[in-house]
Amino acid sequence: MLGCIKIGTLSGLVLVAFTASFCVAITDPRDVVAMNSLWVSLNFPPLLGWLPGGDPCGEEWQGVSCVFSNITALKLSGMNLGGTLADDLALFESIIEIDLSNNHIGGSIPSSLPPTLRIFSLAGNQFNGSIPDTLSTLTQLSHLSINDNHLSGEMPDAFQQLTSLTNLDLSGNNLSGQLPPSLGNLSSLSSLHLQSNKFVGVLDVLQDLPLQDLNVENNLFSGPIPAKLLNIPNFRKDGNPFNTTIIASPPLALSPSPAMPPSSAEAPEKQGYWPSISQTPKAEAESSRAFLTTKRAILVTVAVVVIVIILVLCVLVSSCSKRKKVKEDAERHVVPYKGHIEKPNSKASLQQTNEEKVPKNLVVKLQDQFRLDNEKMETSPKLQDKHGIDPTRMSAQSRNNMDHEIDMNFMALQPPPPPPPCLPVDKVIINPVVPAEIYTRSSSTKNLKSSSSLRVFTIATLQQYTNSFSEENFVGEGTLGSVYKAELPDRKLLAVKKLNSMATRQQTEKEFLDLVSTVSKIRHPNIVELLGYCNEHGQRLLVYEFCETGTLNDALHMDDEIHKKLSWNARIRLALGAARALQYLHEVCEPSIVHQNFRSSNILLDEKLAACVSDCGLAPLQSSSSANELSGRLLSTSGYGAPEFELGSYTCKSDVYSFGVVMLELLTGRKSYDRSRSRGEQSLVRWAIPRLHDIDSLCGMVDPSLNGSYPAKSLSRFADIIARCVQWEPEFRPAMSEIVQDLLRML
């Protein structure tokens, strides 16, 4: 009885508090009802701010994001939540994202869901039952993750209208049956994970989708794999009984003859010529005996070939051993004369070896033996004095000159791999014949001169080319220093970045030269190339190619003439060029390079309005606390800084956020942060995010200079990319390669 009184009292309190909240709440009453229903169904979780009948937006409930009075996101991943989900989720009016992943929520997935959802994640819970077919109502859905649950049954045929879906993850369940035909309608799907289920049938329905990532491992798929799926960059298919058998063609020796009937695989009209013979048991027996005879002959032939190969190898090994013994005997009788090295006839030996086609592993063994023998030989005092090193520590070039014949033959057999596109400074590609320890570098400057085509400028020449760094040649001021225009005697223009003391005082000369060497290896059509440097009299300057059209910031906010040339397609191409530059830095260079200062003023334009990103690889110049603090403050106050930058963290995903801000500038023609506007419109990101998902508001925020000359579908996709880039959590932002693919589809 006492328990009943307590429950009744609690319900009354919830009702009174809920009723009173309508008088003062900021949150839309319908969203308040939905939140209170969710709180009850999740068994009253102890989350910060969550109270019965409270004001989620006004009181900033944990995990709740709002735009004005509407709840737009629920992000409660890993909160140890239990209970179930009721159909009251559909009461949310404007919610875009629901993330309840990695909790302990059970029951079935609600059949009624908010139609405004774009991101829906229930991964890593205890949901059971089947996938509701009401998914077909979520026409704006782009990400669906219900993996790692206990779902069963067949996948519903409910994907006809989900043309915006880009990521679908159903892995780690007990789903069965064949893939539904409506999966073929997912025209935007780039990632599909179906592994660790019990799906059966074939994969034909997936062959025309724009997939970049497909995982169907550990299922029961059968049949041949469609050829188009084999071209997917990340296709994982192990653990399935796929039928990859290829029907063998008839042996050439068994050609048709009057005494033998044609194969039963021939066309019916050919079989008609042999009605009596093709069906007799005698003919079948003869055919069977012929097949066995052919098979036996093949096996005998293979055995003979193997025996011959083994005998040849034995002869070659014996021959090599004899030559080795002769060479060692010759070495014992060699007497150095005036320091010259007497060597065995290695060239003739190698030529004979090549003629006899020695296996590769034997050549490698001989190679190592010759190298060890050469290290034991004496050398002349003149050579030792000239190089200042012992022969066992000499450079690779000297050793190659001394043993040219041997190295050239081995290099032909074992060519070194090509260097990666962005080779770090401390890595050296070495000849596999010579030990790595003989490669020495006398100084960083010598390494720069030998490993790159950088031009070393003097202060005097740069003063001459920039007219003593005059105001007329001043281009702009950045966080690392001033930029000046330089004109060479041949009329070629260069850009000279004069690094300030804050950016260089924490770096030693060697560190600066290593940085220059690293930046010089960054080569991409959409990245400004470093042509030279100056390190003299305490001054450090970087010399780049010059882009006369200026920066994207100038084109959007200062130069009206260029601004008029920025059509919708031109803006997409600019975004694509900048995205390709970041993709190269993040995903091609090894190790990855984080730009850390990506903004429209660091995107230069050439005469064709193509994007060229500058300041790539210069993040180490901001490693000092003062420089890093100044750079972070400027990046944040200018509206480009990702939220995590304030915590001292900056990764590739932080560059993605800054890229999203630049796309917003291209979309709206507004500055990333404009103090001249009203307080609610100063920050471009905060002003734009609520408008990106409403088509009317979206059209109203487009740059007026475009005069409506853009496709509505293209505009919507552009806005969708922006929304994904400026996510608050870094892990939800896409990789640059994904953004590049999305932009390519818009052209």
Side-chain angles (χ1 to χ4, degrees):
M1 184 68 179
L2 182 60
C4 297
I5 295 174
K6 287 184 177 180
I7 293 175
T9 305
L10 177 60
S11 302
L13 290 174
V14 170
L15 179 62
V16 170
F18 174 67
T19 306
S21 66
F22 283 121
C23 301
V24 295
I26 297 177
T27 312
D28 188 298
R30 291 168 294 188
D31 286 349
V32 174
V33 172
M35 282 299 301
N36 280 272
S37 175
L38 177 64
W39 187 58
V40 173
S41 65
L42 295 179
N43 295 334
F44 311 100
L47 299 175
L48 295 178
W50 288 49
L51 294 172
D55 183 7
C57 295
E59 298 170 354
E60 297 183 353
W61 285 18
Q62 183 179 0
V64 178
S65 299
C66 299
V67 174
F68 300 113
S69 62
N70 295 114
I71 296 176
T72 58
L74 283 175
K75 302 176 183 178
L76 300 171
S77 176
M79 294 293 181
N80 200 28
L81 303 178
T84 59
L85 292 183
D87 288 339
D88 293 339
L89 282 179
L91 297 177
F92 286 103
E93 292 289 325
S94 306
I95 198 162
I96 295 173
E97 177 180 356
I98 295 180
D99 184 3
L100 301 174
S101 59
N102 302 317
N103 286 292
H104 308 287
I105 306 173
S108 58
I109 298 176
S111 57
S112 297
L113 296 169
T116 55
L117 272 180
R118 288 177 177 262
I119 301 174
F120 189 36
S121 177
L122 301 178
N125 280 283
Q126 300 176 8
F127 288 100
N128 52 40
S130 59
I131 300 175
D133 55 8
T134 51
L135 286 177
S136 58
T137 61
L138 307 181
T139 57
Q140 301 182 43
L141 197 64
S142 62
H143 292 72
L144 176 61
S145 301
I146 51 179
N147 51 290
D148 299 320
N149 282 284
H150 307 295
L151 301 174
S152 59
E154 297 186 0
M155 191 189 311
D157 193 15
F159 299 94
Q160 293 87 347
Q161 305 299 323
L162 306 188
T163 55
S164 299
L165 193 63
T166 59
N167 292 273
L168 176 60
D169 194 344
L170 306 178
S171 61
N173 286 289
N174 294 312
L175 299 172
S176 58
Q178 299 186 6
L179 300 183
S182 60
L183 277 180
N185 294 351
L186 301 180
S187 56
S188 301
L189 194 66
S190 61
S191 177
L192 176 60
H193 286 193
L194 302 175
Q195 69 269 23
S196 303
N197 280 287
K198 299 177 181 178
F199 289 116
V200 299
V202 296
L203 300 176
D204 293 356
V205 69
L206 306 177
Q207 61 183 339
D208 294 324
L209 299 180
L211 290 169
Q212 299 295 315
D213 180 15
L214 174 60
N215 192 335
V216 296
E217 292 180 332
N218 303 321
N219 278 285
L220 300 174
F221 289 114
S222 59
I225 302 174
K228 294 181 179 179
L229 296 185
L230 298 177
N231 296 325
I232 295 176
N234 190 14
F235 179 33
R236 288 160 287 180
K237 60 183 183 302
D238 296 337
N240 287 280
F242 286 116
N243 180 17
T244 57
T245 303
I246 301 176
I247 301 176
S249 58
L252 296 177
L254 301 177
S255 58
S257 65
M260 183 180 296
S263 171
S264 60
E266 292 181 355
E269 58 269 17
K270 292 186 178 181
Q271 293 181 8
Y273 293 138
W274 309 91
S276 59
I277 301 179
S278 62
Q279 297 176 1
T280 61
K282 182 179 180 181
E284 292 179 357
E286 291 177 356
S287 176
S288 177
R289 284 197 298 273
F291 175 77
L292 293 175
T293 303
T294 304
K295 183 177 181 180
R296 190 178 298 112
I298 293 174
L299 293 176
V300 172
T301 303
V302 171
V304 171
V305 171
V306 171
I307 292 173
V308 171
I309 292 176
I310 292 175
L311 290 176
V312 171
L313 289 177
C314 292
V315 172
L316 292 178
V317 171
S318 176
S319 176
C320 291
S321 300
K322 291 180 180 179
R323 284 197 298 272
K324 178 180 177 182
K325 183 177 181 181
V326 170
K327 182 180 74 65
E328 292 176 349
D329 293 338
E331 288 178 354
R332 296 193 195 101
H333 296 84
V334 170
V335 179
Y337 178 68
K338 294 183 180 181
H340 292 285
I341 299 176
E342 297 291 338
K343 299 169 59 176
N345 190 5
S346 58
K347 181 175 182 181
S349 176
L350 279 175
Q351 289 175 348
Q352 182 180 1
T353 304
N354 289 335
E355 291 173 359
E356 295 176 358
K357 299 182 179 178
V358 180
K360 185 175 181 180
N361 58 343
L362 295 180
V363 175
V364 174
K365 291 180 180 178
L366 283 174
Q367 165 190 351
D368 294 335
Q369 183 62 39
F370 282 143
R371 176 177 59 78
L372 294 174
D373 292 338
N374 287 335
E375 289 178 352
K376 296 177 182 178
M377 292 183 181
E378 298 180 357
T379 185
S380 67
K382 294 181 180 180
L383 182 63
Q384 183 171 350
D385 293 340
K386 180 178 179 181
H387 292 279
I389 55 175
D390 186 78
T392 61
R393 305 293 297 177
M394 67 177 61
S395 67
Q397 185 63 39
S398 301
R399 187 178 294 272
N400 286 338
N401 291 336
M402 294 171 58
D403 201 3
H404 177 72
E405 295 86 0
I406 293 177
D407 284 348
M408 290 305 294
N409 280 280
F410 285 142
M411 287 300 290
L413 291 170
Q414 292 182 328
C422 246
L423 190 67
V425 177
D426 57 345
K427 288 189 178 181
V428 181
I429 296 297
I430 65 171
N431 187 326
V433 177
V434 187
E437 60 266 17
I438 70 171
Y439 279 85
T440 59
R441 290 185 286 182
S442 60
S443 65
S444 298
T445 305
K446 181 178 180 181
N447 181 56
L448 269 179
K449 293 180 180 179
S450 62
S451 65
S452 67
S453 58
L454 280 180
R455 181 175 175 182
V456 182
F457 293 87
T458 64
I459 289 290
T461 56
L462 291 181
Q463 284 182 333
Q464 177 184 353
Y465 298 155
T466 60
N467 193 17
S468 297
F469 299 99
S470 63
E471 288 292 330
E472 294 80 7
N473 291 56
F474 178 76
V475 176
E477 181 79 24
T479 57
L480 300 177
S482 306
V483 180
Y484 295 86
K485 179 175 66 174
E487 185 176 354
L488 302 186
D490 59 359
R491 313 294 293 179
K492 181 179 180 180
L493 297 179
L494 301 176
V496 180
K497 181 184 287 290
K498 189 176 182 181
L499 300 176
N500 55 37
S501 58
M502 183 177 293
T504 59
R505 64 186 177 187
Q506 298 294 329
Q507 277 201 328
T508 63
E509 180 178 356
K510 181 181 182 301
E511 289 173 339
F512 173 72
L513 294 175
D514 286 345
L515 172 70
V516 170
S517 179
T518 301
V519 175
S520 69
K521 295 181 177 68
I522 300 176
R523 301 292 176 86
H524 190 272
N526 297 109
I527 294 179
V528 182
E529 182 181 354
L530 180 67
L531 302 178
Y533 72 100
C534 175
N535 182 33
E536 190 179 57
H537 305 302
Q539 298 291 325
R540 294 176 180 176
L541 303 95
L542 301 176
V543 182
Y544 291 91
E545 56 183 341
F546 188 80
C547 296
E548 295 188 50
T549 312
T551 68
L552 178 59
N553 183 74
D554 296 337
L556 287 172
H557 312 305
M558 299 181 185
D559 195 325
D560 293 336
E561 183 178 351
I562 300 179
H563 195 156
K564 295 176 183 178
K565 297 179 181 179
L566 296 180
S567 63
W568 178 249
N569 285 335
R571 298 181 191 220
I572 295 177
R573 286 193 295 270
L574 277 170
L576 176 60
R580 280 172 165 163
L582 287 180
Q583 179 192 10
Y584 173 82
L585 296 175
H586 294 175
E587 303 174 24
V588 177
C589 290
E590 181 63 36
S592 298
I593 295 177
V594 183
H595 192 284
Q596 202 164 318
N597 194 22
F598 190 84
R599 58 179 74 205
S600 60
S601 58
N602 278 334
I603 300 177
L604 307 182
L605 307 179
D606 63 10
E607 63 277 1
K608 296 181 180 180
L609 296 182
C612 297
V613 181
S614 65
D615 282 9
C616 297
L618 301 185
L621 295 176
Q622 303 171 2
S623 58
S624 65
S625 57
S626 56
N628 196 34
E629 181 181 357
L630 176 62
S631 174
R633 192 184 312 120
L634 292 175
L635 199 64
S636 299
T637 55
S638 61
Y640 294 99
E644 64 271 15
F645 197 72
E646 297 180 359
L647 303 176
S649 172
Y650 205 101
T651 65
C652 292
K653 290 301 181 73
S654 307
D655 280 348
V656 175
Y657 182 95
S658 301
F659 176 80
V661 180
V662 171
M663 286 188 66
L664 268 178
E665 290 185 84
L666 288 168
L667 173 67
T668 63
R670 294 190 176 205
K671 296 180 179 180
S672 58
Y673 194 88
D674 192 349
R675 297 184 182 276
S676 64
R677 296 184 180 273
S678 61
R679 184 173 182 180
E681 297 186 11
Q682 289 181 356
S683 173
L684 180 58
V685 174
R686 294 181 182 178
W687 172 80
I689 285 180
R691 293 167 171 79
L692 291 175
H693 306 294
D694 181 80
I695 189 61
D696 294 330
S697 300
L698 180 60
C699 293
M701 63 189 289
V702 178
D703 190 347
S705 66
L706 290 173
N707 296 320
S709 300
Y710 49 83
K713 186 175 181 180
S714 180
L715 175 64
S716 178
R717 290 184 177 180
F718 201 81
D720 181 63
I721 297 173
I722 295 173
R724 289 154 51 207
C725 289
V726 296
Q727 293 278 346
W728 186 270
E729 292 82 4
E731 59 269 20
F732 290 136
R733 300 171 200 154
M736 290 309 304
S737 55
E738 182 180 340
I739 296 173
V740 168
Q741 293 300 320
D742 290 342
L743 290 170
L744 280 172
R745 296 189 190 102
M746 296 174 59
L747 292 176

